[in-house]
Amino acid sequence: MSNHKSGFVAIVGRPNVGKSTLINALIGKKIAIMSPKPQTTRNRIMGVYTQPDFQMIFVDTPGMHKGKDLLNKTIDRIAVSSIKDVDMVLFVVDDAKGSAEDHIIAYFKGLRIPVFLVINKIDLLKNRSAIDEVIISYLDAYAFEGVTPVSAKDKKNLNHLIETLQPYLPEGPLFFPEEMKSDQSENQLMSELIREKILFHTEQEVPHSVAVVIESLEENLELNTIDVSALIIVERTTQKQILIGKAGEKIKKIGTEARKEINQILNTKIHLTLWVKVKKDWRNRPNDLKAFGIGDES
Ligand SMILES: Nc1nc2c(ncn2[C@@H]2O[C@H](COP(=O)(O)OP(=O)(O)OP(=O)(O)O)[C@@H](O)[C@H]2O)c(=O)[nH]1
Ligand SMILES: [Mg+2]
């Protein structure tokens, strides 16, 4: 295929600015979990956008911040390393520049690839001049290749964003089969969707202390379902109690919501069983992080 273009586009920014919402909106499918809580995304997730003459591979990354424990250091490193092997970067913001952005912008210095500023959540801004104010606050910070205001939630201006990026794609092959939307396995997506429901139903430290792994998948020929068993790991007994809730109410709710969404997204019929286990200080143990699927290749 001559003149076919393809390339990788990293989506980076502070936690909670809407990077995962943006990748899902661009791809047109939920491939990355989203939540109002910061530090939702923990791994690099690729979303594939294929058109007849080009393929853009968006790379969702964890929000960049300076966390103290090994989990946070690891996810920050994942985000930082993701801008090294891509063709361009989208720097997503949702507000006027603050000091939290400085250490992220510092990573752009020395990059030889274009960095685009994406102002997300414009549905929350009153008018054009409010958008301009946000844009202006960033202009001195870096020589951005372009600026695009969008609303990932309302899918506003996303075509314009794609059109802005398209000329910067190098010639290249189809890296993923046309029908493929993400590099995530079904198991990864299932455990992430379970974690998403936990993020919605817990507060404070609990959401950050949780990891989810799929333990087993078994086809149930009699009922024509797939029996999925998932393990939720927390750090303390009190967190386990919170997660289970009075008479098991909370865990039941989480399970029901996760099952419904998994069935809808994967077009399957699963039966989901959740187990909760305490593993003290797992966020600081390299082997646990690895076992729970958090990490990068570097
Ligand atoms: N109003 C509005 N809210 C948005 C928009 N995009 C995302 N959000 C909300 O912002 C919150 C964070 O969204 P995420 O997509 O999880 O943010 P993220 O940048 O991936 O966060 P981390 O993974 O923690 O770094 C969620 O509550 C989203 O619903 C938008 O365009 N408009
Ligand atoms: Mg995210």
Side-chain angles (χ1 to χ4, degrees):
M1 226 189 293
S2 64
N3 289 330
H4 185 272
K5 294 191 166 181
S6 55
F8 292 79
V9 184
I11 304 178
V12 304
R14 264 192 305 112
N16 222 38
V17 293
K19 299 176 295 298
S20 300
T21 309
L22 179 64
I23 200 170
N24 290 339
L26 287 164
I27 301 307
K29 192 176 173 210
K30 183 161 172 182
I31 60 164
I33 62 167
M34 309 164 275
S35 93
K37 306 218 165 72
Q39 288 136 58
T40 297
T41 305
R42 288 179 177 166
N43 261 329
R44 180 169 28 209
I45 298 168
M46 292 188 192
V48 188
Y49 181 82
T50 307
Q51 288 292 305
D53 51 349
F54 71 92
Q55 185 169 65
M56 240 178 236
I57 298 132
F58 293 98
V59 186
D60 186 20
T61 67
M64 289 186 184
H65 69 291
K66 290 179 172 160
K68 283 195 208 90
D69 60 20
L70 183 67
L71 170 66
N72 279 302
K73 284 188 179 142
T74 305
I75 64 179
D76 203 42
R77 198 183 64 226
I78 292 168
V80 172
S81 69
S82 72
I83 62 177
K84 300 211 172 102
D85 301 316
V86 292
D87 299 289
M88 50 193 126
V89 173
L90 300 185
F91 176 43
V92 183
V93 302
D94 65 353
D95 208 346
K97 190 181 159 298
S99 58
E101 261 85 17
D102 288 338
H103 93 285
I104 306 177
I105 293 171
Y107 289 120
F108 302 153
K109 311 233 156 108
L111 278 185
R112 296 217 182 127
I113 50 173
V115 180
F116 296 85
L117 180 67
V118 176
I119 317 288
N120 188 30
K121 308 193 187 179
I122 56 166
D123 56 289
L124 297 178
L125 296 173
K126 276 196 293 291
N127 49 34
R128 180 70 221 191
S129 73
I131 298 174
D132 286 343
E133 261 175 52
V134 177
I135 295 174
I136 288 164
S137 73
Y138 284 93
L139 289 186
D140 284 341
Y142 189 76
F144 294 105
E145 192 73 26
V147 183
T148 309
V150 301
S151 167
K153 180 175 139 274
D154 295 345
K155 296 192 164 54
K156 217 168 165 194
N157 221 19
L158 300 183
N159 284 339
H160 178 71
L161 178 60
I162 301 250
E163 281 163 18
T164 306
L165 306 179
Q166 211 183 323
Y168 293 85
L169 280 179
E171 275 189 22
L174 271 180
F175 286 107
F176 291 93
E178 266 172 64
E179 66 286 354
M180 200 165 159
K181 298 271 190 204
S182 168
D183 68 333
Q184 262 196 132
S185 68
E186 292 195 345
N187 271 18
Q188 283 168 320
L189 183 60
M190 280 196 270
S191 59
E192 283 288 88
L193 287 168
I194 296 166
R195 197 165 61 82
E196 183 186 65
K197 306 310 165 206
I198 298 169
L199 293 184
F200 273 95
H201 289 290
T202 57
E203 298 302 327
Q204 289 164 0
E205 261 307 280
V206 183
H208 304 297
S209 307
V210 164
V212 180
V213 279
I214 303 295
E215 282 209 305
S216 66
L217 285 169
E218 236 169 89
E219 214 170 332
N220 186 329
L221 292 171
E222 228 170 274
L223 296 173
N224 197 23
T225 56
I226 299 167
D227 291 335
V228 179
S229 177
L231 185 62
I232 301 170
I233 299 101
V234 292
E235 287 196 315
R236 284 195 288 277
T237 314
T238 45
Q239 296 169 342
K240 177 172 173 172
Q241 287 161 347
I242 291 170
L243 208 53
I244 290 172
K246 247 190 222 147
E249 251 172 57
K250 186 161 276 180
I251 195 80
K252 199 172 158 202
K253 199 170 195 174
I254 289 166
T256 307
E257 286 181 15
R259 171 177 52 79
K260 282 189 183 157
E261 197 171 16
I262 290 168
N263 282 340
Q264 188 229 323
I265 293 179
L266 295 177
N267 201 13
T268 49
K269 216 169 128 193
I270 67 158
H271 177 262
L272 181 62
T273 312
L274 298 177
W275 307 91
V276 187
K277 191 175 149 185
V278 179
K279 204 144 199 257
K280 285 203 176 74
D281 206 29
W282 71 262
R283 287 191 285 178
N284 278 308
R285 295 176 198 274
N287 287 342
D288 284 344
L289 292 187
K290 219 185 222 171
F292 305 153
I294 303 159
D296 59 1
E297 296 84 2
S298 64

